Structures are given as structure tokens and as C-alpha cells.
Amino acid sequence: MEVKFSHTEAPAPKPIVFEQIFAEKPGGGLLANHPFDVKEGMAAYLNANGKYQVIKAAIIYEDAESGATTIKVKKGSGIVVNDILAIGNKAAKVTKVTSTEAIYDVLTITLGVAVKAGNVLYQANAVADGTTAQAALPGVPVYLVGDDVPADSGDFMVKLVNGANVRKETAPVADEVVAQMKGISKV
């Protein structure tokens, strides 16, 4: 008797971003087309065209000292050369992105502050030397995106969350951005 059997490994479990959602925009909103994968939990603001635009976030993969000129970040951040990234009141321009590793990208950037694994760098509007209260964001964050959206999907309807508890270990949003959103808390 011949028995044919095949086994397919289960996909890796998707990390939980939202611990609890208690408020969202009825009907969701139109997310502008993005050239990178938009991840559930990224902050979004309303752009001049009436569509929602995300604020890029890069989760630090490995600790880096204050004098470091490169920072390792988890894959999938959407960061490209000339993006400005910040942590607190320090912001600098990314001059190179190396994507040869399987689980992290290496950003060539000099922030001048030490960063810890798990912290999140956020997209800023301009370079900041540390004398301002916080590096300026490209827009006022209003919602967290409630769905994953593949790159180049065109304008896409998504769930928009404005009241939630998100997991600090998995949420792709910086503490500085969350601080500007009244209904969002990292737990």
C-alpha cells in the first residue's frame, strides 16, 4: 500500500500589535499609495490631498553607541536614502541603506545619541541638533493604521484606530509619536 503524505510548515505567527482597540474612525479611511509595505500600527496623518500618509518608523535591531555612524534596524521599515530619522530631539539624514542581511537593514546615519534595541526611530521633517523640544514630524499623527498594506497597492481603504492600547514590543510607532496621540497608549 502506498500512502502519499506531505507536510507544510505553518507560517510564523503574526505579532500582536493592538492589545485593545476602543475607538476607530467609522468606515476607515483612504491610505495613500506607499512604495513600501505599511505595517499594522504605523501612525498616519491627513495629507494635503485628503488621504492618509504614514509616518515611517524603524525599530532598532541592535544597540548602538552615541558615536555610531551605522544603525541596524528591523527589515520592512521603508526607510530610503535622504529620509530624516529622529529619536527625541535629535534628527539626521540617512545617507545609505544596506539591505543585504535577511533580518535587518543597516542605515548609515549619525544621530549622536545612543540607541537601544527595541526603540523606534521616527520619520522627521527636518534635521534637528538636539536644541528643540522634539524633532518635527511630517504631519500631525491622528490614527494608527489597523491593517497591513502591501507596497504599491494604490490608494487603499484601511481601518484607522484613534483609541487603543498597543504592545510596546511590536508596535511600529515611536514613543514621541504616541505622545502626540491622546487615545493611544503603549503597554
Side-chain angles (χ1 to χ4, degrees):
M1 177 173 154
E2 184 177 330
V3 177
K4 294 187 179 190
F5 176 80
S6 65
H7 175 73
T8 304
E9 291 292 327
K14 183 179 174 204
I16 296 171
V17 173
F18 291 100
E19 191 69 37
Q20 178 185 34
I21 296 174
F22 47 85
E24 58 186 75
K25 183 177 185 200
L30 191 61
L31 186 69
N33 185 39
H34 287 78
F36 56 91
D37 291 343
V38 174
K39 296 181 182 176
E40 175 184 44
M42 292 180 94
Y45 64 93
L46 193 61
N47 68 19
N49 297 327
K51 299 174 188 171
Y52 290 92
Q53 190 81 29
V54 298
I55 297 171
K56 293 180 183 179
I59 301 172
I60 305 295
Y61 180 77
E62 183 178 273
D63 292 356
E65 298 298 322
S66 62
T69 57
T70 60
I71 296 175
K72 293 178 183 176
V73 298
K74 291 184 180 180
K75 281 276 190 207
S77 64
I79 304 300
V80 295
V81 172
N82 291 328
D83 277 350
I84 298 171
L85 295 180
I87 188 162
N89 59 353
K90 297 283 250 177
K93 189 178 284 194
V94 175
T95 57
K96 183 178 177 184
V97 178
T98 307
S99 301
T100 56
E101 297 296 326
I103 53 178
Y104 64 84
D105 291 333
V106 179
L107 306 179
T108 302
I109 184 173
T110 305
L111 282 171
V113 294
V115 292
K116 297 279 186 200
N119 285 352
V120 182
L121 300 175
Y122 62 94
Q123 180 183 8
N125 216 15
V127 173
D129 62 5
T131 58
T132 58
Q134 178 183 328
L137 295 168
V140 178
V142 183
Y143 296 104
L144 294 182
V145 176
D147 305 300
D148 288 334
V149 179
D152 296 317
S153 296
D155 295 344
F156 205 88
M157 287 298 292
V158 293
K159 175 168 61 171
L160 294 172
V161 177
N162 63 347
N165 294 324
V166 295
R167 290 193 179 176
K168 62 183 171 188
E169 299 86 9
T170 56
V173 60
D175 292 342
E176 296 87 348
V177 176
V178 169
Q180 293 190 24
M181 304 174 78
K182 290 190 286 186
I184 305 295
S185 298
K186 276 189 168 183
V187 293

